Amino acid sequence: MSEFTVGETDFLLDGRPVRLLSGALHYFRVHEAQWGHRLAMLRAMGLNCVETYVPWNLHEPHPGDFRDVEALGRFLDAAREAGLWAIVRPGPYICAEWENGGLPHWLRGPARTSDERYLAQVERWFRRLLPQVVARQIDRGGPVLMVQVENEYGSYGSDTGYLLRLAELLRAEGVTVPLFTSDGPEDHMLTGGSLPGVLATVNFGSGARTAFETLRRYRPDGPLMCMEFWCGWFEHWGGEPVVRDAGDAAAALREILECGASVNLYMAHGGTNFAG
């Protein structure tokens, strides 16, 4: 059993500073038979962690019709077997370039708000999902280091009460590892999307020093982390392929590391939208 905590300047594993070098790999975009190979490739890249979202609408396409929620647990087990830690971003909204940001089409009440009808459905979903995460936290011998509250909420709204309810729900369902938020490095995004007492991280594709300076205006203490380093970009159906120069991406990553920050490559491996 180990303890992962957020220190004043660093992440701490059993009290010792550790830098997270993570890569995003969505278990739902990679065939399960290939998980082991893809995770081994992350290890071969020099990474020590993997990050994944969880798409609610994939696992509950109709109310009460839960489908293979245990896939997340199996993926986290595979990550541990590959020698990787894990970061889980359960939403309920995930964006992720995924249909409706992972929100089921059948939801009642305005989504991503403090509406009690919506929150009751989130609570029911989390009660079904989170045991897969809770049992695999690092303080229980598993790989999970951190869990995200919502996703880039500052780009959408500023209902701190909503974020607080989600954080309380995660804790009530047994999440004991550190919580975090992630937002773009802009004033309105950081004010709208962060929570007091919860680690704030930033997402960007370049300009690390400027981004972290913006974050430090709101969070003078705590470890720095780019939760989404956009080493590439998504493509639109029928559009031109988007290819980033490797040297440019490497220079941007080097700047992140020179800031002493942790990083999550978004994406380390893209996978496929099956039947999409």
Side-chain angles (χ1 to χ4, degrees):
M1 307 296 177
S2 296
E3 182 183 35
F4 181 80
T5 55
V6 175
E8 290 188 9
T9 57
D10 299 285
F11 292 116
L12 303 173
L13 184 65
D14 295 329
R16 289 192 285 269
V18 62
R19 190 201 302 240
L20 301 184
L21 302 174
S22 179
L25 193 161
H26 299 156
Y27 67 93
F28 49 93
R29 283 176 161 139
V30 178
H31 193 282
E32 186 165 349
Q34 298 173 331
W35 286 352
H37 175 261
R38 301 300 190 267
L39 290 165
M41 290 176 72
L42 263 61
R43 267 310 256 150
M45 288 170 62
L47 303 182
N48 57 22
C49 188
V50 62
E51 173 270 314
T52 187
Y53 281 121
V54 182
W56 182 2
N57 56 5
L58 178 70
H59 293 297
E60 193 182 8
H62 309 287
D65 176 18
F66 293 108
R67 300 188 183 180
D68 200 15
V69 180
E70 293 72 25
L72 173 62
R74 296 196 302 275
F75 179 74
L76 295 173
D77 291 341
R80 183 176 183 273
E81 189 174 328
L84 294 166
W85 293 313
I87 295 169
V88 180
R89 304 209 276 175
Y93 176 82
I94 62 171
C95 186
E97 291 69 61
W98 184 262
E99 181 184 6
N100 208 32
L103 295 175
H105 66 87
W106 44 260
L107 283 178
R108 295 188 306 276
R112 307 184 79 186
T113 72
S114 296
D115 184 273
E116 292 299 333
R117 293 168 296 171
Y118 167 69
L119 285 172
Q121 295 164 102
V122 173
E123 182 174 0
R124 184 180 52 77
W125 161 235
F126 274 7
R127 193 171 293 129
R128 182 69 175 79
L129 169 70
L130 290 176
Q132 300 296 319
V133 179
V134 169
R136 294 170 174 84
Q137 296 177 106
I138 194 163
D139 54 8
R140 300 193 184 194
V144 178
L145 299 180
M146 295 196 293
V147 173
Q148 181 171 277
V149 181
E150 240 269 356
N151 184 70
E152 293 187 321
Y153 184 70
S155 300
Y156 177 80
S158 57
D159 185 350
T160 303
Y162 164 57
L163 295 180
L164 185 59
R165 287 284 296 275
L166 290 180
E168 290 172 345
L169 181 55
L170 290 168
R171 291 302 189 207
E173 293 302 319
V175 175
T176 52
V177 294
L179 303 178
F180 70 94
T181 58
S182 69
D183 287 282
E186 297 186 27
D187 295 323
H188 74 280
M189 295 179 183
L190 287 166
T191 55
S194 59
L195 269 176
V198 173
L199 175 71
T201 66
V202 283
N203 304 333
F204 55 83
S206 59
R209 289 182 178 85
T210 301
F212 288 137
E213 285 170 5
T214 303
L215 176 61
R216 279 289 182 236
R217 288 206 299 269
Y218 296 94
R219 296 297 175 89
D221 300 313
L224 294 171
M225 182 162 187
C226 177
M227 190 53 66
E228 292 184 17
F229 168 54
W230 303 322
C231 47
W233 201 246
F234 50 81
E235 296 180 0
H236 294 280
W237 183 261
E240 291 295 316
V242 179
V243 179
R244 184 173 186 179
D245 178 75
D248 176 64
L253 176 60
R254 186 177 301 111
E255 186 178 348
I256 293 173
L257 299 177
E258 287 172 350
C259 291
S262 291
V263 63
N264 179 52
L265 307 180
Y266 191 89
M267 300 284 298
H269 176 58
T272 301
N273 285 351
F274 294 102

